[in-house]
Each structure stands twice: as structure tokens, then as C-alpha cells.
């Protein structure tokens, strides 16, 4: 699903809202999640999941082509852990 698809679906469920207003709301939510993670904090959305930042420390790697040692800098990566409700909905068995 693309962000524009999400905006269209929310707009369809809430016909009193303007498309640009829904787009502004979705952008604000995503920007706030990103800003919170950039500060090193985690974002917990109950029933959906938790966004956090995992830091990979600097290390020495190896160039697979030449075999030479290279320095790999410290990096921060986003991490998502799905919530219990999401896991249950994804693993629901159809009878």
C-alpha cells in the first residue's frame, strides 16, 4: 500500500474530510514518528506495534571483491515489532 492509497482509503471512510486535510494528517503522523525515532525514543501504537531504533556499532568489514579490510561506520536502523493484536489478525486461520 502506498501513502496515497492510505490517504484515499481514510478519505473514503470519512467523506466529510477534505483530501488535502487527510493528507496533512497522515504526513503529520509519519513526521512525528520519524522525529521521535530520530531523538532515539520509541513509538508504541497499542494493538499495532512498536517502532524503535537499533544501533549497529562501527566495525571492520571486508570488501568481497578485493578482500581488503574496510571500516564500516556506526549506523542507526529503524526496527518494527508488531503488536499482539496485529500478529493475531495476520495469523488468523480461516475455517
Amino acid at each position: 500500500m502506498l501513502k496515497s492509497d492510505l490517504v484515499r482509503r481514510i478519505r473514503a471512510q470519512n467523506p466529510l474530510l477534505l483530501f488535502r486535510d487527510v493528507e496533512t494528517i497522515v504526513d503529520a503522523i509519519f513526521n512525528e514518528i520519524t522525529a521521535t525515532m530520530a531523538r532515539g525514543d520509541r513509538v508504541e501504537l497499542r494493538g499495532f506495534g512498536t517502532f524503535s531504533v537499533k544501533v549497529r556499532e562501527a566495525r571492520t568489514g571486508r570488501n568481497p571483491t578485493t578482500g581488503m579490510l574496510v571500516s564500516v561506520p556506526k549506523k542507526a536502523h529503524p526496527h518494527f515489532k508488531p503488536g499482539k493484536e496485529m500478529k493475531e489478525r495476520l495469523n488468523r486461520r480461516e475455517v
Side-chain angles (χ1 to χ4, degrees):
M1 173 182 279
L2 301 174
K3 185 166 77 169
S4 58
D5 296 333
L6 177 61
V7 171
R8 276 195 285 280
R9 289 184 72 168
I10 293 172
R11 169 68 172 87
Q13 293 173 2
N14 300 281
L16 298 177
L17 295 175
L18 297 174
F19 183 85
R20 67 176 179 266
D21 293 339
V22 175
E23 193 170 36
T24 301
I25 292 167
V26 170
D27 285 340
I29 292 169
F30 289 159
N31 289 338
E32 190 57 35
I33 290 172
T34 303
T36 301
M37 290 175 63
R39 289 192 305 266
D41 295 334
R42 58 184 234 141
V43 177
E44 181 179 338
L45 303 173
R46 301 272 171 152
F48 184 73
T50 304
F51 296 92
S52 61
V53 177
K54 299 285 184 178
V55 177
R56 294 186 185 164
E57 295 299 325
R59 62 184 174 83
T60 302
R62 188 175 299 274
N63 182 332
T65 305
T66 64
M68 293 184 65
L69 295 178
V70 292
S71 175
V72 179
K74 176 179 174 178
K75 293 181 184 177
H77 294 274
H79 177 74
F80 176 74
K81 181 179 177 187
K84 180 181 176 184
E85 185 178 324
M86 178 185 278
K87 287 180 194 176
E88 289 172 354
R89 289 183 70 180
L90 292 175
N91 292 305
R92 211 180 293 168
R93 295 180 189 240
E94 298 297 322
V95 179

